Structures are given as structure tokens and as C-alpha cells.
Amino acid sequence: MKTPCPSCGHHNLEGMDRCEECLHSLMQRDLPRPKKNDPLQRVIMTAPVADLLTGADLLVANTTDTVQKIINTLKKKKKDCVLIYQKKKLVGIISQRDLLLRVAGKHKDLSAVKAEQIMTKNVEFVRGEDPIAFAVNKMSMGGFRHLPVLNAEGVPLSIISIKDVLGYLMKRHQAHE
């Protein structure tokens, strides 16, 4: 049995006092609850991340793929980031911001630069069953605009962005007007 952290959603062993991931107390009983008369607040605190998934957002590459290949794929698919996998395990992510900060003006031949040289490592992620509030909290705390969504086996389901969250909340808000 696992105890989900109310702050980050990490699943901790039962009986732990603090979250192994973010060190948030697992003993707090006074966590905020959504107001009954606020449907938007209730949605963001209770709806699962899986509600955001379209199945059309996922791009993956290998650590040995060249940066030029990844840029071509991002341009062709009109996407903002790609997950980097090695031996079926998520090991990194490359976003347009990574390309601007770590590649632009620093490498003359992008076909000689490998994904593993510029990718962001130790990628934060969420599970499909985590509340949207967990994803928003991770994005806010880490300064991320994109967050991978993995299943229990670590297989990627999708990548969500803050635009996905805002679009979903806007649709839900309009549905209640």
C-alpha cells in the first residue's frame, strides 16, 4: 500500500512521515479542500491528469539521436518538446527552451551533437491518476512548461503543458456557465 503525497503526488511507502520526493509532511490533516460551491476549484483539485491527455502530444527520441534530427522532428510535428529514452527508460527531455539556451550559437554542426549532451536530466513527471493540482504544483515549483505523464510501469502516455491545463479549465468553466 502506498501513500500519495498531498503536495507532489509521489507514492510513498505506508507509514512514512515525510514524502521521499519533496519532504512534504504526510501527517498533515488540514490540507485545503475544494469549496463545494466552486466547480473550477473542485476540478483542479480532484480531476485526474488523464483528463488532459489527447494521445497526440507524445514525441520520443533516443539519447544518440542528433540535435538536428530532433529539431527537424519538432518543426515537422509542430511540437515544443521531446522525451529522451534509453533502454525503454525516461532519461531526459529537450524543449525549445533547451535548444535556445544550450544549442543556439554554441554548436556549428548540429548533426554532430547528441541529445544526451543537451537534454535536461532527472525529469519530473506525473501519473495519469494524479490530480491536476499536483501537475500544476510541479510545474510551478520547477519552472516547467511541460511535464511527462507516465503509467505505473514508466511508459510515457503523453506530455502535458500549462496551455493544456488552462485550455481544459477554460472548457470546464464554460460548461458550467
Side-chain angles (χ1 to χ4, degrees):
M1 184 80 176
K2 302 270 183 167
T3 303
C5 173
S7 177
C8 72
H10 179 76
H11 294 274
N12 297 279
L13 293 174
E14 191 171 1
M16 300 279 296
D17 293 338
R18 294 220 170 258
C19 176
E20 293 175 313
E21 185 75 18
C22 71
L23 301 178
H24 190 276
S25 172
L26 299 175
M27 305 304 287
Q28 283 185 313
R29 302 273 187 236
D30 57 347
L31 293 174
R33 303 255 184 241
K35 295 177 184 171
K36 290 181 182 177
N37 59 353
D38 189 338
L40 191 58
Q41 190 180 68
R42 188 173 51 252
V43 165
I44 197 165
M45 293 177 80
T46 61
V49 167
D51 285 1
L52 302 172
L53 306 184
T54 63
D57 301 327
L58 187 61
L59 285 181
V60 295
N62 291 312
T63 56
T64 56
D65 286 343
T66 67
V67 169
Q68 185 62 59
K69 179 181 177 183
I70 290 172
I71 289 172
N72 292 343
T73 302
L74 290 173
K75 285 170 58 178
K76 181 178 178 183
K77 300 289 184 177
K78 297 182 179 174
K79 299 294 181 186
D80 298 329
C81 66
V82 60
L83 298 180
I84 308 299
Y85 269 72
Q86 184 176 39
K87 297 179 182 177
K88 298 181 180 180
K89 182 179 178 189
L90 178 65
V91 293
I93 188 169
I94 295 177
S95 68
Q96 289 180 343
R97 185 169 32 179
D98 294 327
L99 294 171
L100 283 172
L101 297 176
R102 298 179 186 153
V103 175
K106 295 180 179 175
H107 303 277
K108 289 184 180 179
D109 183 8
L110 298 181
S111 62
V113 181
K114 303 293 183 194
E116 62 190 346
Q117 294 174 263
I118 64 149
M119 68 184 184
T120 298
K121 298 175 184 169
N122 301 320
V123 180
E124 293 283 340
F125 62 89
V126 291
R127 307 269 187 214
E129 65 271 15
D130 291 338
I132 292 172
F134 288 171
V136 171
N137 183 46
K138 282 192 174 198
M139 290 174 159
S140 175
M141 297 300 287
F144 313 129
R145 290 182 288 174
H146 300 89
L147 202 56
V149 182
L150 308 180
N151 70 12
E153 290 79 36
V155 176
L157 299 173
S158 187
I159 299 172
I160 59 169
S161 70
I162 195 64
K163 288 189 296 188
D164 296 330
V165 174
L166 294 175
Y168 176 78
L169 294 176
M170 181 62 78
K171 284 180 187 173
R172 294 292 299 247
H173 179 68
Q174 290 171 344
H176 284 93
E177 285 186 336

